[in-house]
Amino acid sequence: MLMATVGDLALTIVAYLAVAVLRGSQWGLQRWNAWSIVILESVAIALAIAVESFALATGRWSYTDAVPLMPGTRVSLLPVLQLVLLLPLTFLLARSLTARFSPPSGSQARGPQP
């Protein structure tokens, strides 16, 4: 489970960096536009397909016959949906927490006064 968690963290970082390169370094903290969402979801789909394809090709895991597959692929629809849903939710939560716990804009952090 630890390796799966580290892998998910790595996928999240890759997704953030991909969108940051195309949208700007602080995109996650700004209001998202349609282009940001399209980029993020495209990256999520590509990452999920790449990871699943690699794992299937190397025999790291396999699926049962009951697993729904993405049309035209051997990849399960479930991990793709997982990244498509969880990556935006992760970044929205991070933005919300950052806004909640950051000092108001315009204020300056003050150190201890003598």
Side-chain angles (χ1 to χ4, degrees):
M1 294 302 294
L2 178 63
M3 289 308 294
T5 301
V6 170
D8 287 345
L9 179 60
L11 293 175
T12 303
I13 291 168
V14 168
Y16 181 85
L17 292 174
V19 180
V21 166
L22 295 170
R23 286 284 304 137
S25 63
Q26 296 289 323
W27 76 269
L29 299 176
Q30 300 165 350
R31 184 170 178 85
W32 294 6
N33 61 20
W35 182 234
S36 297
I37 295 168
V38 167
I39 295 169
L40 180 59
E41 296 296 20
S42 298
V43 169
I45 292 167
L47 286 172
I49 290 172
V51 168
E52 292 296 308
S53 296
F54 176 77
L56 289 169
T58 59
R60 293 184 187 271
W61 59 72
S62 61
Y63 305 134
T64 65
D65 292 335
V67 171
L69 299 179
M70 289 193 57
T73 72
R74 295 182 14 214
V75 173
S76 171
L77 184 61
L78 301 177
V80 176
L81 288 176
Q82 176 184 334
L83 278 187
V84 163
L85 295 172
L86 290 183
L87 283 179
L89 290 175
T90 299
F91 295 128
L92 286 171
L93 177 62
R95 182 175 73 181
S96 174
L97 291 173
T98 300
R100 182 176 190 163
F101 294 108
S102 294
S105 61
S107 69
Q108 297 180 359
R110 297 176 188 235
Q113 299 296 319

